PDB file of all heavy atoms in Angstrom:
ATOM      1  N   ASN A 156    -139.357  15.764 109.044  1.00  0.00           N
ATOM      2  CA  ASN A 156    -140.413  15.413 109.991  1.00  0.00           C
ATOM      3  C   ASN A 156    -140.383  13.912 110.243  1.00  0.00           C
ATOM      4  O   ASN A 156    -140.017  13.137 109.355  1.00  0.00           O
ATOM      5  CB  ASN A 156    -141.786  15.802 109.425  1.00  0.00           C
ATOM      6  CG  ASN A 156    -141.871  17.287 109.157  1.00  0.00           C
ATOM      7  OD1 ASN A 156    -141.830  18.083 110.063  1.00  0.00           O
ATOM      8  ND2 ASN A 156    -141.941  17.649 107.887  1.00  0.00           N
ATOM      9  N   ALA A 157    -140.789  13.509 111.451  1.00  0.00           N
ATOM     10  CA  ALA A 157    -140.777  12.089 111.792  1.00  0.00           C
ATOM     11  C   ALA A 157    -141.997  11.742 112.633  1.00  0.00           C
ATOM     12  O   ALA A 157    -142.497  12.565 113.397  1.00  0.00           O
ATOM     13  CB  ALA A 157    -139.504  11.726 112.545  1.00  0.00           C
ATOM     14  N   ALA A 158    -142.455  10.495 112.477  1.00  0.00           N
ATOM     15  CA  ALA A 158    -143.546   9.950 113.295  1.00  0.00           C
ATOM     16  C   ALA A 158    -143.100   8.574 113.794  1.00  0.00           C
ATOM     17  O   ALA A 158    -142.401   7.844 113.085  1.00  0.00           O
ATOM     18  CB  ALA A 158    -144.821   9.825 112.471  1.00  0.00           C
ATOM     19  N   TYR A 159    -143.470   8.255 115.029  1.00  0.00           N
ATOM     20  CA  TYR A 159    -143.036   7.010 115.662  1.00  0.00           C
ATOM     21  C   TYR A 159    -144.235   6.175 116.087  1.00  0.00           C
ATOM     22  O   TYR A 159    -145.250   6.711 116.522  1.00  0.00           O
ATOM     23  CB  TYR A 159    -142.201   7.316 116.915  1.00  0.00           C
ATOM     24  CG  TYR A 159    -140.965   8.127 116.649  1.00  0.00           C
ATOM     25  CD1 TYR A 159    -141.021   9.515 116.594  1.00  0.00           C
ATOM     26  CD2 TYR A 159    -139.753   7.501 116.431  1.00  0.00           C
ATOM     27  CE1 TYR A 159    -139.888  10.258 116.348  1.00  0.00           C
ATOM     28  CE2 TYR A 159    -138.604   8.241 116.183  1.00  0.00           C
ATOM     29  CZ  TYR A 159    -138.687   9.624 116.147  1.00  0.00           C
ATOM     30  OH  TYR A 159    -137.560  10.362 115.894  1.00  0.00           O
ATOM     31  N   LEU A 160    -144.071   4.861 115.995  1.00  0.00           N
ATOM     32  CA  LEU A 160    -145.065   3.912 116.474  1.00  0.00           C
ATOM     33  C   LEU A 160    -144.306   2.792 117.185  1.00  0.00           C
ATOM     34  O   LEU A 160    -143.365   2.224 116.622  1.00  0.00           O
ATOM     35  CB  LEU A 160    -145.867   3.347 115.297  1.00  0.00           C
ATOM     36  CG  LEU A 160    -146.930   2.300 115.626  1.00  0.00           C
ATOM     37  CD1 LEU A 160    -148.037   2.937 116.463  1.00  0.00           C
ATOM     38  CD2 LEU A 160    -147.488   1.720 114.349  1.00  0.00           C
ATOM     39  N   GLN A 161    -144.696   2.510 118.434  1.00  0.00           N
ATOM     40  CA  GLN A 161    -143.974   1.503 119.210  1.00  0.00           C
ATOM     41  C   GLN A 161    -144.952   0.668 120.028  1.00  0.00           C
ATOM     42  O   GLN A 161    -145.951   1.171 120.521  1.00  0.00           O
ATOM     43  CB  GLN A 161    -142.983   2.177 120.164  1.00  0.00           C
ATOM     44  CG  GLN A 161    -142.249   1.202 121.066  1.00  0.00           C
ATOM     45  CD  GLN A 161    -141.254   1.905 121.969  1.00  0.00           C
ATOM     46  OE1 GLN A 161    -140.351   2.566 121.478  1.00  0.00           O
ATOM     47  NE2 GLN A 161    -141.421   1.769 123.263  1.00  0.00           N
ATOM     48  N   GLY A 162    -144.624  -0.621 120.170  1.00  0.00           N
ATOM     49  CA  GLY A 162    -145.399  -1.519 121.015  1.00  0.00           C
ATOM     50  C   GLY A 162    -144.446  -2.408 121.803  1.00  0.00           C
ATOM     51  O   GLY A 162    -143.318  -2.657 121.384  1.00  0.00           O
ATOM     52  N   SER A 163    -144.883  -2.869 122.966  1.00  0.00           N
ATOM     53  CA  SER A 163    -144.033  -3.751 123.767  1.00  0.00           C
ATOM     54  C   SER A 163    -144.869  -4.852 124.402  1.00  0.00           C
ATOM     55  O   SER A 163    -146.071  -4.708 124.627  1.00  0.00           O
ATOM     56  CB  SER A 163    -143.296  -2.961 124.843  1.00  0.00           C
ATOM     57  OG  SER A 163    -144.201  -2.405 125.766  1.00  0.00           O
ATOM     58  N   LYS A 164    -144.182  -5.950 124.693  1.00  0.00           N
ATOM     59  CA  LYS A 164    -144.826  -7.112 125.306  1.00  0.00           C
ATOM     60  C   LYS A 164    -143.818  -7.762 126.242  1.00  0.00           C
ATOM     61  O   LYS A 164    -142.642  -7.894 125.902  1.00  0.00           O
ATOM     62  CB  LYS A 164    -145.266  -8.099 124.210  1.00  0.00           C
ATOM     63  CG  LYS A 164    -145.944  -9.341 124.701  1.00  0.00           C
ATOM     64  CD  LYS A 164    -147.352  -9.052 125.157  1.00  0.00           C
ATOM     65  CE  LYS A 164    -148.023 -10.365 125.511  1.00  0.00           C
ATOM     66  NZ  LYS A 164    -149.269 -10.185 126.194  1.00  0.00           N
ATOM     67  N   VAL A 165    -144.275  -8.163 127.435  1.00  0.00           N
ATOM     68  CA  VAL A 165    -143.410  -8.832 128.412  1.00  0.00           C
ATOM     69  C   VAL A 165    -143.809 -10.299 128.478  1.00  0.00           C
ATOM     70  O   VAL A 165    -144.978 -10.632 128.664  1.00  0.00           O
ATOM     71  CB  VAL A 165    -143.532  -8.173 129.797  1.00  0.00           C
ATOM     72  CG1 VAL A 165    -142.685  -8.906 130.810  1.00  0.00           C
ATOM     73  CG2 VAL A 165    -143.144  -6.704 129.722  1.00  0.00           C
ATOM     74  N   PHE A 166    -142.817 -11.180 128.331  1.00  0.00           N
ATOM     75  CA  PHE A 166    -142.983 -12.624 128.445  1.00  0.00           C
ATOM     76  C   PHE A 166    -142.110 -13.095 129.598  1.00  0.00           C
ATOM     77  O   PHE A 166    -140.884 -13.182 129.435  1.00  0.00           O
ATOM     78  CB  PHE A 166    -142.542 -13.350 127.163  1.00  0.00           C
ATOM     79  CG  PHE A 166    -143.238 -12.879 125.919  1.00  0.00           C
ATOM     80  CD1 PHE A 166    -142.659 -11.920 125.099  1.00  0.00           C
ATOM     81  CD2 PHE A 166    -144.472 -13.399 125.553  1.00  0.00           C
ATOM     82  CE1 PHE A 166    -143.280 -11.491 123.953  1.00  0.00           C
ATOM     83  CE2 PHE A 166    -145.101 -12.969 124.400  1.00  0.00           C
ATOM     84  CZ  PHE A 166    -144.516 -12.017 123.598  1.00  0.00           C
ATOM     85  N   ASN A 167    -142.709 -13.371 130.757  1.00  0.00           N
ATOM     86  CA  ASN A 167    -141.955 -13.727 131.969  1.00  0.00           C
ATOM     87  C   ASN A 167    -140.906 -12.652 132.249  1.00  0.00           C
ATOM     88  O   ASN A 167    -141.252 -11.544 132.620  1.00  0.00           O
ATOM     89  CB  ASN A 167    -141.343 -15.120 131.867  1.00  0.00           C
ATOM     90  CG  ASN A 167    -142.416 -16.199 131.784  1.00  0.00           C
ATOM     91  OD1 ASN A 167    -143.475 -16.065 132.387  1.00  0.00           O
ATOM     92  ND2 ASN A 167    -142.146 -17.236 131.022  1.00  0.00           N
ATOM     93  N   SER A 168    -139.613 -12.925 132.067  1.00  0.00           N
ATOM     94  CA  SER A 168    -138.573 -11.926 132.329  1.00  0.00           C
ATOM     95  C   SER A 168    -137.999 -11.342 131.035  1.00  0.00           C
ATOM     96  O   SER A 168    -136.986 -10.664 131.051  1.00  0.00           O
ATOM     97  CB  SER A 168    -137.433 -12.555 133.136  1.00  0.00           C
ATOM     98  OG  SER A 168    -136.825 -13.588 132.388  1.00  0.00           O
ATOM     99  N   ILE A 169    -138.644 -11.583 129.921  1.00  0.00           N
ATOM    100  CA  ILE A 169    -138.166 -11.087 128.623  1.00  0.00           C
ATOM    101  C   ILE A 169    -139.098  -9.968 128.134  1.00  0.00           C
ATOM    102  O   ILE A 169    -140.311 -10.134 128.104  1.00  0.00           O
ATOM    103  CB  ILE A 169    -138.131 -12.224 127.575  1.00  0.00           C
ATOM    104  CG1 ILE A 169    -137.196 -13.336 128.030  1.00  0.00           C
ATOM    105  CG2 ILE A 169    -137.731 -11.683 126.218  1.00  0.00           C
ATOM    106  CD1 ILE A 169    -137.243 -14.567 127.162  1.00  0.00           C
ATOM    107  N   THR A 170    -138.486  -8.849 127.776  1.00  0.00           N
ATOM    108  CA  THR A 170    -139.245  -7.726 127.222  1.00  0.00           C
ATOM    109  C   THR A 170    -138.909  -7.584 125.743  1.00  0.00           C
ATOM    110  O   THR A 170    -137.745  -7.512 125.365  1.00  0.00           O
ATOM    111  CB  THR A 170    -138.893  -6.412 127.946  1.00  0.00           C
ATOM    112  OG1 THR A 170    -139.158  -6.560 129.335  1.00  0.00           O
ATOM    113  CG2 THR A 170    -139.704  -5.260 127.393  1.00  0.00           C
ATOM    114  N   LEU A 171    -139.946  -7.539 124.930  1.00  0.00           N
ATOM    115  CA  LEU A 171    -139.789  -7.369 123.492  1.00  0.00           C
ATOM    116  C   LEU A 171    -140.476  -6.065 123.084  1.00  0.00           C
ATOM    117  O   LEU A 171    -141.646  -5.855 123.407  1.00  0.00           O
ATOM    118  CB  LEU A 171    -140.421  -8.542 122.737  1.00  0.00           C
ATOM    119  CG  LEU A 171    -140.430  -8.463 121.218  1.00  0.00           C
ATOM    120  CD1 LEU A 171    -139.003  -8.482 120.675  1.00  0.00           C
ATOM    121  CD2 LEU A 171    -141.248  -9.596 120.637  1.00  0.00           C
ATOM    122  N   LYS A 172    -139.724  -5.201 122.424  1.00  0.00           N
ATOM    123  CA  LYS A 172    -140.279  -3.950 121.907  1.00  0.00           C
ATOM    124  C   LYS A 172    -140.043  -3.910 120.405  1.00  0.00           C
ATOM    125  O   LYS A 172    -138.969  -4.267 119.923  1.00  0.00           O
ATOM    126  CB  LYS A 172    -139.602  -2.733 122.538  1.00  0.00           C
ATOM    127  CG  LYS A 172    -139.903  -2.559 124.007  1.00  0.00           C
ATOM    128  CD  LYS A 172    -139.267  -1.287 124.527  1.00  0.00           C
ATOM    129  CE  LYS A 172    -139.552  -1.128 126.002  1.00  0.00           C
ATOM    130  NZ  LYS A 172    -138.974   0.118 126.531  1.00  0.00           N
ATOM    131  N   ALA A 173    -141.039  -3.472 119.678  1.00  0.00           N
ATOM    132  CA  ALA A 173    -140.926  -3.330 118.230  1.00  0.00           C
ATOM    133  C   ALA A 173    -141.571  -2.011 117.829  1.00  0.00           C
ATOM    134  O   ALA A 173    -142.490  -1.520 118.496  1.00  0.00           O
ATOM    135  CB  ALA A 173    -141.606  -4.492 117.516  1.00  0.00           C
ATOM    136  N   GLY A 174    -141.070  -1.435 116.757  1.00  0.00           N
ATOM    137  CA  GLY A 174    -141.634  -0.166 116.329  1.00  0.00           C
ATOM    138  C   GLY A 174    -141.196   0.235 114.946  1.00  0.00           C
ATOM    139  O   GLY A 174    -140.405  -0.439 114.284  1.00  0.00           O
ATOM    140  N   LEU A 175    -141.722   1.375 114.532  1.00  0.00           N
ATOM    141  CA  LEU A 175    -141.416   1.961 113.227  1.00  0.00           C
ATOM    142  C   LEU A 175    -141.202   3.460 113.386  1.00  0.00           C
ATOM    143  O   LEU A 175    -141.851   4.105 114.203  1.00  0.00           O
ATOM    144  CB  LEU A 175    -142.567   1.758 112.248  1.00  0.00           C
ATOM    145  CG  LEU A 175    -142.875   0.351 111.775  1.00  0.00           C
ATOM    146  CD1 LEU A 175    -144.177   0.351 110.979  1.00  0.00           C
ATOM    147  CD2 LEU A 175    -141.741  -0.172 110.917  1.00  0.00           C
ATOM    148  N   ARG A 176    -140.290   3.989 112.594  1.00  0.00           N
ATOM    149  CA  ARG A 176    -140.130   5.439 112.486  1.00  0.00           C
ATOM    150  C   ARG A 176    -140.303   5.792 111.018  1.00  0.00           C
ATOM    151  O   ARG A 176    -139.628   5.228 110.146  1.00  0.00           O
ATOM    152  CB  ARG A 176    -138.752   5.883 112.970  1.00  0.00           C
ATOM    153  CG  ARG A 176    -138.610   7.402 112.920  1.00  0.00           C
ATOM    154  CD  ARG A 176    -137.277   7.871 113.471  1.00  0.00           C
ATOM    155  NE  ARG A 176    -136.322   7.985 112.375  1.00  0.00           N
ATOM    156  CZ  ARG A 176    -135.072   7.543 112.419  1.00  0.00           C
ATOM    157  NH1 ARG A 176    -134.614   6.936 113.481  1.00  0.00           N
ATOM    158  NH2 ARG A 176    -134.276   7.700 111.376  1.00  0.00           N
ATOM    159  N   LEU A 177    -141.191   6.689 110.735  1.00  0.00           N
ATOM    160  CA  LEU A 177    -141.441   7.180 109.380  1.00  0.00           C
ATOM    161  C   LEU A 177    -140.858   8.590 109.305  1.00  0.00           C
ATOM    162  O   LEU A 177    -141.185   9.437 110.135  1.00  0.00           O
ATOM    163  CB  LEU A 177    -142.941   7.202 109.080  1.00  0.00           C
ATOM    164  CG  LEU A 177    -143.346   7.676 107.699  1.00  0.00           C
ATOM    165  CD1 LEU A 177    -142.928   6.655 106.649  1.00  0.00           C
ATOM    166  CD2 LEU A 177    -144.842   7.897 107.649  1.00  0.00           C
ATOM    167  N   GLU A 178    -139.977   8.814 108.352  1.00  0.00           N
ATOM    168  CA  GLU A 178    -139.297  10.106 108.261  1.00  0.00           C
ATOM    169  C   GLU A 178    -139.472  10.700 106.872  1.00  0.00           C
ATOM    170  O   GLU A 178    -139.217  10.035 105.867  1.00  0.00           O
ATOM    171  CB  GLU A 178    -137.817   9.911 108.573  1.00  0.00           C
ATOM    172  CG  GLU A 178    -137.040  11.192 108.702  1.00  0.00           C
ATOM    173  CD  GLU A 178    -135.628  10.928 109.176  1.00  0.00           C
ATOM    174  OE1 GLU A 178    -135.449  10.639 110.363  1.00  0.00           O
ATOM    175  OE2 GLU A 178    -134.718  10.986 108.336  1.00  0.00           O
ATOM    176  N   SER A 179    -139.883  11.947 106.820  1.00  0.00           N
ATOM    177  CA  SER A 179    -140.035  12.688 105.565  1.00  0.00           C
ATOM    178  C   SER A 179    -138.938  13.752 105.498  1.00  0.00           C
ATOM    179  O   SER A 179    -138.800  14.567 106.405  1.00  0.00           O
ATOM    180  CB  SER A 179    -141.409  13.353 105.524  1.00  0.00           C
ATOM    181  OG  SER A 179    -141.500  14.238 104.437  1.00  0.00           O
ATOM    182  N   THR A 180    -138.158  13.731 104.420  1.00  0.00           N
ATOM    183  CA  THR A 180    -137.037  14.662 104.251  1.00  0.00           C
ATOM    184  C   THR A 180    -137.250  15.491 102.988  1.00  0.00           C
ATOM    185  O   THR A 180    -137.491  14.939 101.912  1.00  0.00           O
ATOM    186  CB  THR A 180    -135.705  13.892 104.132  1.00  0.00           C
ATOM    187  OG1 THR A 180    -135.536  13.080 105.290  1.00  0.00           O
ATOM    188  CG2 THR A 180    -134.535  14.845 103.996  1.00  0.00           C
ATOM    189  N   ASN A 181    -137.161  16.800 103.139  1.00  0.00           N
ATOM    190  CA  ASN A 181    -137.256  17.724 102.007  1.00  0.00           C
ATOM    191  C   ASN A 181    -136.094  18.706 102.105  1.00  0.00           C
ATOM    192  O   ASN A 181    -135.993  19.466 103.065  1.00  0.00           O
ATOM    193  CB  ASN A 181    -138.576  18.493 102.033  1.00  0.00           C
ATOM    194  CG  ASN A 181    -139.757  17.574 101.889  1.00  0.00           C
ATOM    195  OD1 ASN A 181    -139.922  16.951 100.857  1.00  0.00           O
ATOM    196  ND2 ASN A 181    -140.559  17.467 102.924  1.00  0.00           N
ATOM    197  N   MET A 182    -135.210  18.683 101.105  1.00  0.00           N
ATOM    198  CA  MET A 182    -134.053  19.587 101.073  1.00  0.00           C
ATOM    199  C   MET A 182    -133.973  20.251  99.705  1.00  0.00           C
ATOM    200  O   MET A 182    -134.245  19.617  98.691  1.00  0.00           O
ATOM    201  CB  MET A 182    -132.757  18.822 101.311  1.00  0.00           C
ATOM    202  CG  MET A 182    -132.607  18.277 102.679  1.00  0.00           C
ATOM    203  SD  MET A 182    -130.941  17.627 102.867  1.00  0.00           S
ATOM    204  CE  MET A 182    -131.309  15.964 103.330  1.00  0.00           C
ATOM    205  N   ASN A 183    -133.576  21.510  99.718  1.00  0.00           N
ATOM    206  CA  ASN A 183    -133.418  22.269  98.487  1.00  0.00           C
ATOM    207  C   ASN A 183    -132.205  23.178  98.660  1.00  0.00           C
ATOM    208  O   ASN A 183    -132.208  24.044  99.531  1.00  0.00           O
ATOM    209  CB  ASN A 183    -134.684  23.074  98.206  1.00  0.00           C
ATOM    210  CG  ASN A 183    -134.689  23.676  96.824  1.00  0.00           C
ATOM    211  OD1 ASN A 183    -133.782  23.478  96.040  1.00  0.00           O
ATOM    212  ND2 ASN A 183    -135.735  24.427  96.535  1.00  0.00           N
ATOM    213  N   GLY A 184    -131.164  22.969  97.853  1.00  0.00           N
ATOM    214  CA  GLY A 184    -129.951  23.764  97.980  1.00  0.00           C
ATOM    215  C   GLY A 184    -129.504  24.318  96.650  1.00  0.00           C
ATOM    216  O   GLY A 184    -129.754  23.739  95.598  1.00  0.00           O
ATOM    217  N   HIS A 185    -128.829  25.470  96.719  1.00  0.00           N
ATOM    218  CA  HIS A 185    -128.369  26.120  95.493  1.00  0.00           C
ATOM    219  C   HIS A 185    -127.095  26.908  95.799  1.00  0.00           C
ATOM    220  O   HIS A 185    -127.122  27.849  96.583  1.00  0.00           O
ATOM    221  CB  HIS A 185    -129.447  27.057  94.957  1.00  0.00           C
ATOM    222  CG  HIS A 185    -129.093  27.714  93.670  1.00  0.00           C
ATOM    223  ND1 HIS A 185    -129.158  27.065  92.466  1.00  0.00           N
ATOM    224  CD2 HIS A 185    -128.674  28.973  93.392  1.00  0.00           C
ATOM    225  CE1 HIS A 185    -128.792  27.905  91.498  1.00  0.00           C
ATOM    226  NE2 HIS A 185    -128.493  29.061  92.043  1.00  0.00           N
TER     227      HIS A 185
END
């Protein structure tokens, strides 16, 4: 499962985007 968080800001002609992805992994093998 994954959840995303993103934000962006424009400064004149420059675009800056920053974010996080949180991922939960559960595996079981035999």
Side-chain angles (χ1 to χ4, degrees):
N156 300 294
Y159 300 85
L160 178 66
Q161 177 179 301
S163 64
K164 180 74 175 169
V165 178
F166 304 96
N167 295 326
S168 63
I169 300 172
T170 302
L171 176 64
K172 292 184 181 181
L175 292 172
R176 183 177 93 225
L177 181 69
E178 188 173 285
S179 171
T180 303
N181 297 295
M182 292 188 237
N183 191 2
H185 183 77

